[in-house]
Amino acid sequence: CCSLSFLIAQDYVFERYHLQMEVRLDNSFEVNETIVANFSTPRHGIFREIPIQFGRQRVKLENLRSNEPIKEDSVSSGYATFRLGSPDRTVTGIKEYRISYSYTIGDDRNEEYDEFYYNLLGPGWQAEIKDFTFSISFPKPIDPSMIFLTGGQYGSTAARGTYTLSADKKTITGRASNMLPGEALT
């Protein structure tokens, strides 16, 4: 009758998810996430899957902080999975989760130009994200003709969502709506 991801998704949806990121010249990022979940049945919280592999390089994930209890659940397939929420208490209705962390990819070994390639929204979400917004700040102006925002199921190169570049060409803000489980935005 139904797939497992569909059954899981019926327990909650993500009303909003905002990603704010500051990109540095050394290929490190300061990341702040605000995730608003709406639970229709009692749950202990959510899972957050963060990639720890970038190409062949292992990334550094440091200074992980949260407004809720956070515990590493597993590390596999290039991802670290964290549980956000209390193991002793369930929640129903609207719940806001805020997490922040430092994310360091390391030297890209490219002297000719800098490239920022990142899954703003990875494919590991188990429920629909109704409204995803993001703001990415760069240390230098970027070339507007080199901005590409794609999304959908794994491997998709289809345009998805909308974005704008600030007048000083240092900040990209954007949005995508109704992201389904398993879809990504890059």
Side-chain angles (χ1 to χ4, degrees):
C1 135
C2 307
S3 72
L4 179 59
S5 64
F6 179 73
L7 293 173
I8 292 171
Q10 288 186 355
D11 290 346
Y12 61 97
V13 297
F14 295 107
E15 297 289 341
R16 290 181 306 282
Y17 175 9
H18 179 70
L19 171 71
Q20 181 178 352
M21 180 180 287
E22 180 183 333
V23 176
R24 298 193 173 132
L25 289 174
D26 65 355
N27 278 338
S28 69
F29 317 137
E30 288 301 316
V31 180
N32 292 288
E33 300 177 5
T34 303
I35 303 165
V36 178
N38 189 352
F39 297 95
S40 57
T41 60
R43 302 276 305 217
H44 289 279
I46 63 171
F47 289 93
R48 176 65 179 99
E49 189 177 78
I50 301 174
I52 54 173
Q53 196 78 25
F54 188 81
R56 294 185 179 156
Q57 293 180 191
R58 184 109 169 146
V59 301
K60 289 182 187 172
L61 177 62
E62 300 173 304
N63 305 319
L64 185 64
R65 297 171 300 281
S66 174
N67 67 324
E68 287 290 318
I70 187 166
K71 180 181 179 197
E72 189 169 347
D73 184 63
S74 65
V75 175
S76 63
S77 305
Y79 291 89
T81 303
F82 298 91
R83 292 176 182 258
L84 283 94
S86 170
D88 304 322
R89 190 176 85 235
T90 59
V91 63
T92 53
I94 300 289
K95 179 68 179 172
E96 181 177 279
Y97 298 92
R98 291 185 310 275
I99 63 173
S100 61
Y101 50 92
S102 301
Y103 193 82
T104 304
I105 293 175
D107 187 2
D108 63 5
R109 296 177 178 88
N110 187 343
E111 299 299 325
E112 296 180 28
Y113 60 88
D114 289 320
E115 178 182 37
F116 176 76
Y117 179 85
Y118 192 79
N119 273 343
L120 302 173
L121 184 65
W125 295 89
Q126 295 86 26
E128 177 186 5
I129 299 173
K130 290 183 177 181
D131 188 34
F132 175 73
T133 57
F134 62 90
S135 176
I136 308 165
S137 300
F138 295 90
K140 295 180 185 180
I142 58 175
D143 179 351
S145 70
M146 297 302 292
I147 301 171
F148 305 97
L149 184 62
T150 61
Q153 293 293 325
Y154 180 80
S156 173
T157 58
R160 178 79 183 258
T162 60
Y163 66 87
T164 57
L165 181 60
S166 63
D168 68 1
K169 298 182 181 177
K170 289 184 176 183
T171 303
I172 301 173
T173 56
R175 140 176 282 127
S177 300
N178 303 317
M179 299 295 294
L180 298 177
E183 290 186 325
L185 189 69
T186 302

